[in-house]
Amino acid sequence: MRFSTWEFYLREAGRSLIRNRFMSLASISTVALSLVILGVFLLGAVNLNNVAGTLENQVEVTAFLDEKLQAEEIAAVTARIKNLDGVREVNYVSKEEALERLKEQFGERRDLLDSVEKNNPLRNAVEVRTKTPDDVKTVVQELKAMPAVAKVSFKEEIIDRLFKFTKAIRLVGLAVVVLLVGATIFLISNTIRLTVFARRREINIMKLVGATDWFIRWPFVLEGMCLGLVGSLPAVILVARFYKWLAASVYQTLPFIPLLPPDAVLGCIQLLLVGIGVLVGAIGSAISIRRFLQV
Amino acid sequence: MIEFCRVTKIYNRDIKALDNVSLSIDKGEFIFLVGPSGAGKSTFVRLLLREELPTEGRIVVDGIDTGRLRRSQVPFFRRRIGMVFQDFRLLPERTVSENVAFALRVVEAPRREIYRRVPQVLHLVGLAHKSRAKPAELSGGEQQRVALARALVNNPPILIADEPTGNLDPDTAWDIMRLLVEINQRGTTVVVATHAHEIVDRLRRRVVALENGRVVRDEEKGAYGGEV
């Protein structure tokens, strides 16, 4: 493709944008609005996903060891557990350490535990974290099969419910994103359809003198991409401002909500929004011109 | 150059626009396609441009069977045919030379070629001095010349004019016809669909008369009405 051809496409796109400036403005606002909604939603989804992820990773299996094991046997068992498929990390907790933790949890009323100090009823244990939450069940089975392990504890019901919850969040999130992108494409293609309609004479003449379909399409696609790009800029700024404000106030007043820091998520989301804007513009105009090419 | 072989075109199942038309036009010929409105002239032109395909029969233009042409090849096929219409079909917000250059841009001609060819064809149609004017500032005859220049700028072997003088007064119509004849003398095959009696009668070229979708007459040096 020649350079002068691209110059021609760009000039055509620019001409059309200026000639239809009110229509262009309308589509830019539409894009901006949809992208703001999409952006806010994406931020929400990312945060929920993050929360779900942390919750999932907190799932822990505890293997209580047989009381009669000697120190070297304990080390061997711990090593064996660590080598099981799906195990990410293990942490040996002696019964003395367990008691210390308990005391910490009791805080000021730790004196209540003084009586059990001499005859510690707790057991030595190995805390196991799995690589993925899905590994929990198999790891538990393996642990139960070990003679050195007296008892395995994990919260099965909670895990199942948690999985269902996080899966639902992800599914709903995906559906909403698809819906929003679809709506934006529809709106852009409607706007560009008007500019295409206004130029159908020109398209007709282009076909007549032997223009290929892509030659006719490119100026419109560029126009759509331009609308998408320009519309995404205010959206990106607005979304960033909103999230920074939200993060600042949440950190101040509700610090226990694990909101992701703006610097960690905004860059990615902003890039994504601009990308979606441009892509949606291109797709929207390609859709709207299709009908006029069928001569 | 143009070969219609038992061509039938039926619209909406029962409207026969062309009925078993066979016609052969040689390279370098000048022919008039005449007949009342609705006789099938426009359908003939549309089939020739491969805007539509015949219901039955075969059309071969410049060695290409339009029925076998892939969709992606249609634009390249159309570049071999220059086309002029009754309503000129110029782009109103572009100047004369931009309108003509448009046809070259579309085929991705190099810029140097555009700068060379556009003044050339504008000179040929006698509009070199109006190259910066917009179509609205021109008379009907001048607009049709711009359309002609646009049709010719790619050097197509075939030129088709669909009622080229329909919107023009008799004097201007003659100017356009003279231009078409001149273009034909330079070797281009010219097909003119028209119902301008005087022109057909005076020029005495090959005349193909259509009526109700059939070729009712095809004669060398014919006249509009058929009385030689």
Side-chain angles (χ1 to χ4, degrees):
Chain A
M1 185 126 334
R2 290 172 188 284
F3 172 73
S4 61
T5 301
W6 281 100
E7 202 186 313
F8 175 77
Y9 291 161
L10 278 172
R11 202 172 312 148
E12 289 299 302
R15 222 189 245 251
S16 170
L17 278 172
I18 292 165
R19 205 184 309 147
N20 305 305
R21 51 192 166 276
F22 291 109
M23 234 28 248
S24 304
L25 212 66
S27 6
I28 288 169
S29 342
T30 309
V31 176
L33 193 67
S34 322
L35 286 180
V36 165
I37 298 172
L38 189 66
V40 168
F41 186 83
L42 276 176
L43 282 170
V46 167
N47 271 296
L48 270 177
N49 195 36
N50 176 49
V51 170
T54 5
L55 285 177
E56 279 178 2
N57 280 329
Q58 276 168 3
V59 170
E60 191 172 83
V61 181
T62 311
F64 295 101
L65 301 179
D66 199 315
E67 278 177 90
K68 283 165 270 176
L69 292 183
Q70 301 303 307
E72 58 267 31
E73 285 173 305
I74 289 172
V77 170
T78 313
R80 254 187 80 194
I81 294 175
K82 191 172 166 70
N83 283 331
L84 287 177
D85 271 346
V87 170
R88 183 156 56 98
E89 65 175 273
V90 294
N91 180 29
Y92 173 69
V93 183
S94 68
K95 54 184 180 184
E96 292 79 20
E97 281 173 283
L99 189 63
E100 278 307 309
R101 280 195 200 168
L102 209 58
K103 279 184 181 169
E104 254 169 59
Q105 279 177 17
F106 272 68
E108 289 177 2
R109 303 303 314 274
R110 65 195 321 171
D111 51 305
L112 286 174
L113 292 170
D114 283 351
S115 56
V116 297
E117 187 104 42
K118 280 186 196 108
N119 194 7
N120 187 346
L122 301 173
R123 290 190 197 208
N124 297 322
V126 178
E127 291 174 352
V128 181
R129 281 177 202 275
T130 56
K131 281 181 184 141
T132 70
D134 297 315
D135 291 327
V136 168
K137 280 193 174 161
T138 51
V139 168
V140 165
Q141 267 164 12
E142 298 258 9
L143 288 175
K144 277 182 175 162
M146 288 183 173
V149 175
K151 197 183 151 210
V152 181
S153 115
F154 75 107
K155 299 173 184 74
E156 193 166 14
E157 248 175 76
I158 293 180
I159 292 173
D160 275 355
R161 235 183 274 165
L162 185 64
F163 279 6
K164 271 183 196 148
F165 177 65
T166 53
K167 253 181 205 156
I169 285 181
R170 282 177 191 146
L171 230 78
V172 170
L174 196 72
V176 173
V177 168
V178 167
L179 226 73
L180 275 173
V181 169
T184 318
I185 288 180
F186 175 76
L187 287 167
I188 289 197
S189 82
N190 255 346
T191 320
I192 291 199
R193 177 167 301 149
L194 289 171
T195 81
V196 172
F197 187 75
R199 290 172 65 187
R200 64 197 183 285
R201 246 179 100 82
E202 206 164 320
I203 292 174
N204 212 322
I205 291 170
M206 283 172 118
K207 288 197 76 90
L208 205 75
V209 292
T212 58
D213 285 356
W214 270 108
F215 188 92
I216 298 172
R217 218 176 268 143
W218 265 116
F220 290 103
V221 170
L222 283 178
E223 187 182 341
M225 285 166 85
C226 199
L227 291 175
L229 179 70
V230 174
S232 70
L233 296 181
V236 158
I237 294 170
L238 229 76
V239 167
R241 287 242 168 135
F242 165 73
Y243 192 69
K244 277 180 186 157
W245 167 82
L246 184 77
S249 28
V250 163
Y251 289 151
Q252 221 167 40
T253 52
L254 307 163
F256 54 86
I257 293 182
L259 206 60
L260 288 163
D263 293 339
V265 279
L266 276 183
C268 210
I269 296 269
Q270 284 175 313
L271 222 64
L272 195 69
L273 286 182
V274 174
I276 289 176
V278 171
L279 196 72
V280 153
I283 294 173
S285 54
I287 289 174
S288 59
I289 194 172
R290 215 178 42 178
R291 203 161 56 89
F292 291 90
L293 284 178
Q294 279 154 9
V295 179
Chain B
M1 195 52 128
I2 299 171
E3 192 79 45
F4 271 55
C5 191
R6 300 175 157 278
V7 172
T8 299
K9 178 69 185 175
I10 298 171
Y11 290 110
N12 300 331
R13 286 171 180 274
D14 54 350
I15 303 164
K16 246 185 195 172
L18 283 185
D19 186 4
N20 200 14
V21 169
S22 290
L23 185 65
S24 172
I25 301 168
D26 288 333
K27 189 168 165 23
E29 261 195 284
F30 187 113
I31 90 155
F32 283 117
L33 199 61
V34 302
S37 315
K41 293 185 307 241
S42 305
T43 306
F44 186 90
V45 170
R46 272 205 293 276
L47 289 174
L48 204 53
L49 281 173
R50 206 234 167 256
E51 283 184 10
E52 278 159 7
L53 288 170
T55 315
E56 267 172 55
R58 220 157 61 100
I59 299 168
V60 181
V61 180
D62 200 9
I64 293 162
D65 184 338
T66 61
R68 295 201 177 162
L69 206 56
R70 271 185 290 131
R71 205 181 122 67
S72 59
Q73 289 301 311
V74 171
F76 301 96
F77 167 75
R78 290 207 183 126
R79 291 174 193 182
R80 298 160 184 250
I81 304 172
M83 195 63 221
V84 176
F85 294 92
Q86 178 172 7
D87 56 357
F88 321 136
R89 302 206 185 167
L90 300 175
L91 297 168
E93 70 285 355
R94 286 169 212 248
T95 66
V96 166
S97 57
E98 278 172 343
N99 261 290
V100 176
F102 196 70
L104 285 172
R105 288 244 162 76
V106 156
V107 301
E108 293 180 54
R111 203 186 298 239
R112 211 184 306 147
E113 169 95 1
I114 296 177
Y115 288 146
R116 196 175 58 83
R117 276 296 285 167
V118 172
Q120 243 175 31
V121 280
L122 281 179
H123 183 76
L124 176 72
V125 300
L127 276 180
H129 58 295
K130 298 249 173 150
S131 66
R132 283 162 184 273
K134 295 268 172 82
E137 301 161 24
L138 302 176
S139 69
E142 286 170 328
Q143 289 190 45
Q144 192 59 297
R145 288 182 205 205
V146 177
L148 251 172
R150 184 182 62 194
L152 291 174
V153 75
N154 280 322
N155 272 324
I158 301 168
L159 181 74
I160 299 168
D162 191 1
E163 301 281 1
T165 59
N167 282 353
L168 305 176
D169 61 72
D171 282 351
T172 329
W174 270 108
D175 287 345
I176 295 294
M177 274 303 160
R178 267 196 291 270
L179 253 175
L180 287 172
V181 170
E182 192 187 327
I183 289 157
N184 172 243
Q185 277 160 358
R186 288 164 182 250
T188 310
T189 309
V190 176
V191 179
V192 182
T194 187
H195 44 234
H197 298 247
E198 324 85 81
I199 287 171
V200 177
D201 289 349
R202 262 177 66 183
L203 276 178
R204 292 284 158 185
R205 298 291 171 139
R206 180 177 170 192
V207 174
V208 174
L210 287 172
E211 236 177 272
N212 295 324
R214 290 166 185 269
V215 177
V216 291
R217 190 156 52 85
D218 180 357
E219 51 194 18
E220 294 297 326
K221 303 195 173 181
Y224 192 93
E227 69 288 355
V228 183

